[in-house]
Short mmCIF file of all heavy atoms in Angstrom, two decimals:
data_model
loop_
_atom_site.label_atom_id
_atom_site.label_comp_id
_atom_site.label_asym_id
_atom_site.label_seq_id
_atom_site.Cartn_x
_atom_site.Cartn_y
_atom_site.Cartn_z
N GLU A 71 118.15 132.47 108.54
CA GLU A 71 117.99 132.76 107.14
C GLU A 71 119.05 132.02 106.35
O GLU A 71 120.20 131.90 106.80
CB GLU A 71 118.14 134.27 106.89
CG GLU A 71 117.04 135.10 107.55
CD GLU A 71 117.20 136.58 107.24
OE1 GLU A 71 118.18 136.93 106.55
OE2 GLU A 71 116.37 137.36 107.70
N PRO A 72 118.72 131.50 105.16
CA PRO A 72 119.72 130.80 104.37
C PRO A 72 120.78 131.76 103.87
O PRO A 72 120.53 132.94 103.68
CB PRO A 72 118.90 130.22 103.20
CG PRO A 72 117.70 131.11 103.12
CD PRO A 72 117.41 131.54 104.53
N ALA A 73 121.98 131.23 103.69
CA ALA A 73 123.06 132.06 103.18
C ALA A 73 122.76 132.47 101.75
O ALA A 73 122.05 131.78 101.02
CB ALA A 73 124.38 131.29 103.24
N ALA A 74 123.30 133.61 101.34
CA ALA A 74 123.04 134.10 99.99
C ALA A 74 123.55 133.11 98.95
O ALA A 74 122.96 132.94 97.90
CB ALA A 74 123.71 135.46 99.79
N ALA A 75 124.66 132.48 99.22
CA ALA A 75 125.20 131.47 98.32
C ALA A 75 125.12 130.13 99.01
O ALA A 75 125.70 129.93 100.04
CB ALA A 75 126.64 131.80 97.97
N GLY A 76 124.34 129.21 98.40
CA GLY A 76 124.19 127.90 99.00
C GLY A 76 125.45 127.09 98.91
O GLY A 76 126.42 127.48 98.25
N PRO A 77 125.49 125.92 99.56
CA PRO A 77 126.67 125.08 99.54
C PRO A 77 127.09 124.72 98.12
O PRO A 77 126.27 124.29 97.32
CB PRO A 77 126.23 123.85 100.32
CG PRO A 77 125.10 124.33 101.15
CD PRO A 77 124.41 125.39 100.35
N GLY A 78 128.38 124.89 97.85
CA GLY A 78 128.90 124.50 96.55
C GLY A 78 128.70 125.53 95.46
O GLY A 78 129.17 125.34 94.35
N SER A 79 127.97 126.66 95.70
CA SER A 79 127.76 127.66 94.67
C SER A 79 129.05 128.43 94.42
O SER A 79 129.89 128.58 95.30
CB SER A 79 126.62 128.59 95.05
OG SER A 79 126.90 129.23 96.27
N ARG A 80 129.21 128.97 93.25
CA ARG A 80 130.42 129.67 92.85
C ARG A 80 130.04 130.86 91.98
O ARG A 80 128.89 130.98 91.56
CB ARG A 80 131.34 128.73 92.06
CG ARG A 80 130.61 128.08 90.88
CD ARG A 80 131.51 127.19 90.04
NE ARG A 80 130.77 126.50 89.01
CZ ARG A 80 130.32 127.05 87.89
NH1 ARG A 80 130.52 128.34 87.67
NH2 ARG A 80 129.65 126.37 86.99
N ARG A 81 130.99 131.71 91.69
CA ARG A 81 130.71 132.85 90.82
C ARG A 81 130.44 132.37 89.40
O ARG A 81 131.12 131.47 88.90
CB ARG A 81 131.90 133.81 90.84
CG ARG A 81 131.72 135.03 89.93
CD ARG A 81 132.87 136.00 90.07
NE ARG A 81 134.16 135.38 89.84
CZ ARG A 81 134.66 135.14 88.62
NH1 ARG A 81 133.95 135.42 87.54
NH2 ARG A 81 135.85 134.58 88.50
N CYS A 82 129.46 132.97 88.76
CA CYS A 82 129.13 132.58 87.39
C CYS A 82 130.28 132.95 86.45
O CYS A 82 130.81 134.06 86.51
CB CYS A 82 127.86 133.27 86.92
SG CYS A 82 126.38 132.85 87.87
N SER A 114 124.38 125.69 90.38
CA SER A 114 124.05 127.07 90.73
C SER A 114 125.32 127.91 90.76
O SER A 114 126.41 127.43 91.06
CB SER A 114 123.38 127.12 92.10
OG SER A 114 122.14 126.46 92.09
N CYS A 115 125.17 129.19 90.43
CA CYS A 115 126.29 130.12 90.50
C CYS A 115 125.77 131.47 90.96
O CYS A 115 124.57 131.68 91.06
CB CYS A 115 127.02 130.23 89.17
SG CYS A 115 126.01 130.89 87.81
N THR A 116 126.67 132.39 91.26
CA THR A 116 126.27 133.67 91.81
C THR A 116 126.80 134.83 90.97
O THR A 116 127.86 134.74 90.35
CB THR A 116 126.78 133.84 93.25
OG1 THR A 116 128.22 133.83 93.24
CG2 THR A 116 126.29 132.72 94.14
N LEU A 117 126.03 135.92 90.97
CA LEU A 117 126.44 137.17 90.33
C LEU A 117 126.23 138.30 91.33
O LEU A 117 125.19 138.35 92.00
CB LEU A 117 125.64 137.45 89.07
CG LEU A 117 126.00 136.66 87.80
CD1 LEU A 117 125.04 137.02 86.68
CD2 LEU A 117 127.43 136.93 87.37
N ARG A 118 127.18 139.22 91.38
CA ARG A 118 127.03 140.41 92.21
C ARG A 118 127.93 141.51 91.67
O ARG A 118 129.12 141.30 91.47
CB ARG A 118 127.38 140.14 93.67
CG ARG A 118 127.12 141.32 94.59
CD ARG A 118 127.32 140.96 96.04
NE ARG A 118 126.89 142.03 96.93
CZ ARG A 118 127.69 143.00 97.40
NH1 ARG A 118 128.98 142.99 97.08
NH2 ARG A 118 127.22 143.93 98.19
N ASP A 145 122.21 142.92 96.30
CA ASP A 145 122.63 141.71 97.01
C ASP A 145 123.09 140.66 96.01
O ASP A 145 122.68 140.66 94.85
CB ASP A 145 121.48 141.15 97.85
CG ASP A 145 121.12 142.04 99.02
OD1 ASP A 145 121.98 142.82 99.45
OD2 ASP A 145 119.96 141.96 99.48
N GLN A 146 123.92 139.76 96.50
CA GLN A 146 124.37 138.65 95.66
C GLN A 146 123.18 137.83 95.18
O GLN A 146 122.28 137.53 95.96
CB GLN A 146 125.33 137.77 96.47
CG GLN A 146 125.88 136.59 95.68
CD GLN A 146 126.95 135.88 96.46
OE1 GLN A 146 128.13 136.16 96.30
NE2 GLN A 146 126.58 134.96 97.32
N THR A 147 123.18 137.50 93.91
CA THR A 147 122.08 136.74 93.31
C THR A 147 122.55 135.33 93.00
O THR A 147 123.54 135.14 92.29
CB THR A 147 121.60 137.42 92.01
OG1 THR A 147 121.18 138.76 92.31
CG2 THR A 147 120.44 136.65 91.41
N VAL A 148 121.84 134.34 93.52
CA VAL A 148 122.13 132.95 93.22
C VAL A 148 121.26 132.52 92.05
O VAL A 148 120.03 132.68 92.09
CB VAL A 148 121.86 132.05 94.44
CG1 VAL A 148 122.17 130.58 94.10
CG2 VAL A 148 122.68 132.49 95.64
N ILE A 149 121.88 131.99 91.01
CA ILE A 149 121.16 131.60 89.80
C ILE A 149 121.26 130.09 89.65
O ILE A 149 122.34 129.54 89.44
CB ILE A 149 121.74 132.28 88.55
CG1 ILE A 149 121.96 133.78 88.80
CG2 ILE A 149 120.81 132.07 87.36
CD1 ILE A 149 122.67 134.47 87.66
N GLY A 150 120.14 129.41 89.74
CA GLY A 150 120.13 127.97 89.54
C GLY A 150 120.26 127.62 88.07
O GLY A 150 120.14 128.49 87.19
#
Side-chain angles (χ1 to χ4, degrees):
E71 295 182 358
S79 58
R80 53 177 175 76
R81 179 175 55 81
C82 297
S114 295
C115 63
T116 63
L117 283 177
R118 185 173 188 267
D145 291 336
Q146 181 172 266
T147 302
V148 180
I149 314 173

